[in-house]
Amino acid sequence: MGLLTEGSPLSWEETKAYADHVRQHGVIQFLKQYNKLKERTKDCLYWGDEVEYMLVKFDHQNKKAVLLLHGSEVLHKLQQQQKEHSQDQLTTWHPEYAAYMVEGTPGKPYGGMMAHFNLVESNMRQRRKEIQAVLGTDTTPMTLTSFPRTGCPAFTFPVCVPTPNEGASQSLFFPDSVIFPDHPRFRTLSRNIRERRGEKVAINIPIYKDINTKSPFTEDFSVLGDDGEAQRAALPDHIYMDCMGFGMGCCCLQMTFQACNITEARNLYDQLTPLCPIMLALTAASPIYRGYLADLDTRWRVISQSVDDRTREERGLEPLKKDKFVINKSRYDSVDSYLSASACSDIKLVYDKDIYHQLIKGGVDDLLAKHIAHLFIRDPISLFSEKIHQNDDEDTDHFENIQSTNWQTMRFKPPPPNSKIGWRVEFRPMEVQLTDFENAAYTVFLVLLTRVILTFQLNFLIPLSKVDENLATAFKKDAIREGKFYFRKDILTECSPPEASKCVSSCLPGERLCCGNGQDLYMQMSINEIINGKEDFPGLVPLIYKYMDNAEFDVDTRCTITQYLTLISRRAAGTLKTTARWMRDFVQNHPDYKNDSVVNETINYDLLLECAKISSGEMKYPDLVPVTSSKTSNNIPDAVSKVNNYLDSKSKNLQNSH
Ligand code: ADP
Ligand code: MG
Ligand code: MG
Ligand code: MG
C-alpha cells in the first residue's frame, strides 16, 4: 500500500483543514520530480508481484475456521528474518489493512532474463513457507481473495466484538480490533472515510438467489444494535456490509512493471487498461460475503464501495454547496483516462482545473496533467502531524498521500526521489488464487503479455466507456463463460489516417494510438476468443507463443511457461473452473447447504480446509488446477547457468551445421 509513514494521525477535521496544503505541495513535489526525471531512459524491464495472505486458524474439533489476528507478530518475525538475510534476501514483507493479513513480495524485482519466469512460483512457495514457519499448528497462510464469513459472529481468533457506537469503523459486523494494530494509518483511514462521507459506507452486493433463499432477502439489523442507518442503507436482495474492512480486508495479486522510460510506461499503462476487466474475470475467486453466496464472483465492487468516501454532494444526491465536484466514481475504481490517447478517453473526466493549469505551466502535457489533476480531486484521508511540513525539493509524501489513496485498476508510478527505480505501472485488478502455481501462471502470463505488447507494438485501445462496461460484465457470476467483452478487432495496427477519420473526437496530432469511436474498431468477444483466438482474431496466448518462438529459453523455463499458458488458456476456454465457480460448486454440493445461500460455519470449515489442501498440493481437483507445481526453481545462479548452457549448445549446433 504505497508509502507508510509513521507518526501521529490528525483528526478528520484537522486533516480536512490541510487538504489544500497537501494538494498544493503534492503537485509541486510531482512537478519537481517530473522535470528532474522525465528524460530518464534506458531503465530495465524490471517487474515483480505482490501476494496478500490471510492467516486462517482451524479448530478441527468444533469444525470451525477463523481468521487469526496475529499478523503483526508474524510480520515482525518475517521482517526480522528479512533483516538477517539482507544479502541474498528472497522475500520482502509488508503490513496490510487487517490484523489477519500480511503481504509478501520477492526480495528483489525480476527482470531481463527469460529464466526469471521460472523463479516466480518457487519464490511464492518460499513466502508461504516462511509464514507457515512462524505460525503454530492448525494455522495456515491462505491466498484467499475474500474470507467467506468476514463479519459473521466470532469470525476471528481471538474473538472480538464490534462496536457500532464508537471507534473507527462503527460497524455492526467488523470489530476495530480486526484492523492491523501497529500502524495508525489503517484505523485512521477507516475513521476518516466514514467521517468524510458523513455516514458509514454502504456496501450492497446482490445475493445469489437459490430456491430456498428468502424472497425478498432482507435482514433485521436492530438485534446488532443498528440505530436505523443500516436498515435504511441495506438494499433488499443484497448482502449488506458497512465498513472499509470488508473490502480492504480482501486479498489480491498485483504486478508492477518498470518501463525503459516515461513514454513506454504511459503506453504500457494504456495497453494494460483494457485488459483489467479480462484479467479480473479470469481470476474470479470471491463469491461469498458475510456468510452468503453472492451473485458476483469478484471482490471489486465490495472494495470499491468499502472506501467510497464521497459526500452526498459529491455523489450527486444533493446540490453542490460545500464540495467542489460531483464525482462519478469511488476513489477505488477503474481508471478514467488514458495517458497517451486522448480520443479513447471518452468518459467524463472530473479534474481540478487549477491544478491542471499549474501542471501545464510546470511543463506537463495535457493528458498527464489531466491524469494528475483527476487524482487530485480527492482529499488526503490520512495525515500525520510530523509530515505536514516538507521539503518539496526532496520529499514526495504529499504527492504519495493522494496517489496512494487513489486505488484504481492501474497505477502510474513515478520514480521515487533519489532512487535507481524508473517509471513504473502497476496492474491491480487480479484476484489471488489458491495455489502458487496459479498465481505464478497469471503473473508470468501478464509479464509475457507486456513483452508481446512492446515487441509487436500491439494496440488494445478501445474507448474507456467500453472498458468500464467490460468491468461491470467481469464482476458477474461465470463472466468467463457467459460474458461478452468489447475488444479491439485489429490489435496489430496503429492509428492510420482512414481509421482516424472515424473518431468522433479526432486524435491529436502526433498521437500514435487512436482508438476511434467507430463501432467497427471493436467487437464483442468471449474471454475464450480473446485469450485463445478465433478466425479473425489472433488471441493473446497464441501471440505469446509466437513471441516465444523468437526468444531464448532454457528447456525448464519453456516447460514451466507452457504449463502456465495452458492453465490460462483452459480457464478461458471454460474447460477449467475459476476459483469462484469451484467454490460455488463446493458449497452447493455440501450436505449442510440448504439451498438458502447461507454458508454456515461447518461449510466454511470444510471449504477452507479443502482450499488449504489444494494450496499445499495435498488435494487435487483436475477441473480447477490439474497441475499444481511446475519445474520452478529458486536458485538464481542455477537458472542463469541453465540459460548459458542452452545458449552455448545452441551456438555449437549452429556452428556444426555450417
Ligand atoms: P505497492 O504496495 O506500493 O504497490 P510494493 O512495495 O508492495 O508496492 O510492491 C512493489 C512491487 O514492485 C514488488 O513486486 C517489487 O518486486 C516490484 N519492484 C520493485 N522495484 C521495482 C522496479 N524497479 N521495477 C519494477 N518493479 C519493481
Ligand atoms: Mg501494490
Ligand atoms: Mg497490498
Ligand atoms: Mg504492496
Side-chain angles (χ1 to χ4, degrees):
M1 291 191 84
L3 209 67
L4 291 168
T5 33
E6 308 277 345
S8 340
L10 300 184
S11 72
W12 168 241
E13 283 312 314
E14 291 164 328
T15 306
K16 173 90 187 154
Y18 280 110
D20 282 328
H21 169 88
V22 170
R23 276 188 291 259
Q24 264 166 21
H25 289 274
V27 171
I28 295 170
Q29 292 172 359
F30 172 77
L31 275 172
K32 296 252 181 206
Q33 295 301 324
Y34 171 78
N35 283 311
K36 221 188 269 181
L37 298 163
K38 64 184 177 196
E39 306 294 344
R40 189 188 160 117
T41 192
K42 297 214 177 94
D43 284 312
C44 285
L45 288 161
Y46 282 140
W47 49 275
D49 65 86
E50 293 165 72
V51 177
E52 293 168 345
Y53 302 82
M54 290 188 190
L55 310 177
V56 176
K57 186 175 166 60
F58 290 96
D59 173 352
H60 299 296
Q61 218 158 23
N62 298 304
K63 289 197 148 239
K64 280 186 188 168
V66 294
L67 289 164
L68 176 73
L69 305 181
H70 290 180
S72 156
E73 293 94 304
V74 167
L75 183 72
H76 186 75
K77 287 183 189 160
L78 292 168
Q79 288 181 330
Q80 201 57 38
Q81 293 174 3
Q82 190 179 313
K83 267 194 207 135
E84 285 159 19
H85 298 107
S86 55
Q87 285 302 307
D88 49 351
Q89 178 194 327
L90 286 174
T91 55
T92 313
W93 297 99
H94 317 263
E96 253 306 334
Y97 179 85
Y100 56 79
M101 289 167 88
V102 286
E103 181 189 293
T105 57
K108 288 190 196 102
Y110 306 107
M113 283 182 46
M114 295 301 171
H116 285 174
F117 292 118
N118 210 21
L119 301 174
V120 181
E121 186 184 331
S122 75
N123 190 279
M124 289 176 175
R125 227 180 273 157
Q126 169 74 18
R127 281 177 244 169
R128 209 183 278 273
K129 212 166 82 186
E130 285 182 22
I131 309 174
Q132 185 69 69
V134 297
L135 286 174
T137 47
D138 297 335
T139 309
T140 316
M142 294 190 67
T143 37
L144 278 175
T145 297
S146 71
F147 182 79
R149 287 182 56 84
T150 297
C152 295
F155 73 101
T156 59
F157 180 86
V159 173
C160 310
V161 181
T163 53
N165 301 313
E166 58 182 33
S169 305
Q170 307 200 352
S171 167
L172 301 176
F173 320 100
F174 194 99
D176 275 356
S177 29
V178 179
I179 303 173
F180 189 81
D182 287 4
H183 200 286
R185 171 184 157 99
F186 300 114
R187 218 170 268 244
T188 308
L189 286 174
S190 316
R191 180 196 64 201
N192 289 356
I193 281 169
R194 179 176 53 73
E195 291 192 6
R196 188 184 190 287
R197 181 176 162 101
E199 58 197 27
K200 287 197 290 188
V201 294
I203 309 163
N204 279 292
I205 296 300
I207 193 166
Y208 169 70
K209 283 297 224 22
D210 208 338
I211 44 174
N212 295 330
T213 309
K214 200 171 91 178
S215 200
F217 173 80
T218 54
E219 291 175 285
D220 176 11
F221 300 115
S222 63
V223 287
L224 299 174
D226 173 37
D227 59 6
E229 183 176 354
Q231 221 63 57
R232 283 189 301 274
L235 299 176
D237 287 334
H238 283 68
I239 307 162
Y240 166 74
M241 292 163 274
D242 65 349
C243 72
M244 182 169 179
F246 283 102
M248 286 301 197
C250 290
C251 291
C252 66
L253 170 66
Q254 295 176 337
M255 306 270 326
T256 297
F257 306 98
Q258 178 170 289
C260 71
N261 57 34
I262 187 172
T263 310
E264 188 178 89
R266 291 170 72 156
N267 183 35
L268 268 184
Y269 179 97
D270 289 353
Q271 296 304 333
L272 291 177
T273 292
L275 291 167
C276 289
I278 313 299
M279 295 311 292
L280 181 64
L282 262 170
T283 54
S286 49
I288 311 166
Y289 294 92
R290 204 162 61 70
Y292 296 109
L293 275 176
D295 210 36
L296 304 181
D297 273 355
T298 68
R299 79 200 185 288
W300 196 269
R301 263 179 70 182
V302 178
I303 199 161
S304 164
Q305 295 176 61
S306 83
V307 289
D308 188 355
D309 69 341
R310 290 173 301 162
T311 62
R312 291 181 66 80
E313 293 181 18
E314 287 170 336
R315 277 177 280 147
L317 301 173
E318 287 172 15
L320 282 180
K321 280 192 205 124
K322 286 193 223 134
D323 292 314
K324 239 172 141 176
F325 310 102
V326 175
I327 305 177
N328 43 353
K329 288 178 185 174
S330 161
R331 56 200 299 156
Y332 203 116
D333 217 309
S334 51
V335 307
D336 279 328
S337 64
Y338 287 116
L339 292 180
S340 56
S342 57
C344 321
S345 302
D346 67 333
I347 47 184
K348 184 176 159 52
L349 184 73
V350 186
Y351 64 96
D352 188 308
K353 301 270 179 330
D354 296 337
I355 289 178
Y356 169 79
H357 289 300
Q358 189 185 345
L359 288 160
I360 294 285
K361 254 198 214 148
V364 181
D365 60 276
D366 175 67
L367 281 174
L368 187 56
K370 278 190 180 141
H371 168 77
I372 302 291
H374 168 64
L375 301 182
F376 274 66
I377 58 175
R378 309 290 174 174
D379 278 342
I381 33 168
S382 85
L383 185 62
F384 294 85
S385 56
E386 295 82 350
K387 291 286 176 181
I388 298 171
H389 299 290
Q390 300 182 4
N391 172 1
D392 291 338
D393 289 326
E394 298 287 329
D395 296 331
T396 54
D397 273 40
H398 286 324
F399 169 72
E400 282 297 333
N401 186 327
I402 304 288
Q403 156 98 334
S404 70
T405 50
N406 267 278
W407 295 284
Q408 300 180 346
T409 38
M410 297 291 305
R411 185 176 285 160
F412 183 62
K413 293 176 165 175
N418 303 318
S419 84
K420 287 188 183 154
I421 301 175
W423 293 92
R424 292 149 305 150
V425 295
E426 186 182 15
F427 189 80
R428 304 166 44 81
M430 290 192 285
E431 309 230 312
V432 73
Q433 310 292 297
L434 293 175
T435 63
D436 299 321
F437 176 83
E438 294 161 279
N439 289 317
Y442 284 104
T443 300
V444 166
F445 170 75
L446 211 69
V447 186
L448 283 168
L449 202 55
T450 62
R451 303 305 97 120
V452 170
I453 290 168
L454 297 177
T455 308
F456 299 147
Q457 300 193 352
L458 298 185
N459 182 5
F460 290 146
L461 300 198
I462 56 172
L464 273 177
S465 59
K466 294 294 168 211
V467 179
D468 274 358
E469 276 187 53
N470 284 349
L471 195 63
T473 308
F475 299 150
K476 291 188 185 143
K477 181 160 63 70
D478 295 321
I480 206 166
R481 282 188 308 188
E482 291 163 14
K484 289 276 185 204
F485 294 79
Y486 295 99
F487 213 80
R488 193 177 171 99
K489 263 187 191 170
D490 185 358
I491 57 177
L492 296 167
T493 56
E494 300 179 1
C495 179
S496 55
E499 194 178 84
S501 68
K502 287 182 199 146
C503 300
V504 172
S505 50
S506 60
C507 306
L508 297 176
E511 264 186 53
R512 190 175 72 81
L513 296 169
C514 152
C515 68
N517 293 332
Q519 283 281 322
D520 51 352
L521 277 162
Y522 49 85
M523 57 184 156
Q524 282 199 308
M525 286 193 257
S526 64
I527 296 235
N528 185 27
E529 290 166 337
I530 294 169
I531 297 292
N532 293 317
K534 60 180 178 122
E535 246 169 66
D536 54 352
F537 185 78
L540 305 183
V541 163
L543 279 168
I544 292 178
Y545 278 120
K546 190 170 153 58
Y547 164 79
M548 284 171 61
D549 284 346
N550 298 315
E552 307 283 13
F553 288 100
D554 64 285
V555 182
D556 283 358
T557 305
R558 189 176 288 274
C559 170
T560 300
I561 294 178
T562 306
Q563 286 175 324
Y564 293 160
L565 294 180
T566 306
L567 177 88
I568 309 281
S569 171
R570 292 193 55 195
R571 283 259 163 92
T575 59
L576 292 179
K577 292 177 185 177
T578 59
T579 312
R581 178 32 70 194
W582 178 85
M583 285 180 168
R584 278 180 196 286
D585 289 348
F586 186 93
V587 169
Q588 292 188 287
N589 291 318
H590 192 283
D592 267 20
Y593 180 68
K594 301 199 174 61
N595 296 95
D596 55 358
S597 321
V598 174
V599 179
N600 70 15
E601 282 192 318
T602 320
I603 303 175
N604 182 57
Y605 167 84
D606 286 332
L607 173 66
L608 294 194
L609 196 60
E610 211 62 5
C611 289
K613 287 180 181 165
I614 292 172
S615 300
S616 69
E618 198 181 323
M619 194 71 203
K620 286 205 171 49
Y621 283 85
D623 55 350
L624 175 70
V625 216
V627 182
T628 49
S629 80
S630 70
K631 285 186 151 186
T632 182
S633 123
N634 218 346
N635 189 331
I636 297 171
D638 185 46
V640 173
S641 78
K642 268 186 193 144
V643 174
N644 288 339
N645 289 344
Y646 168 79
L647 293 177
D648 274 359
S649 69
K650 206 174 160 191
S651 72
K652 270 188 204 128
N653 287 347
L654 264 178
Q655 280 165 7
N656 291 345
S657 67
H658 281 301

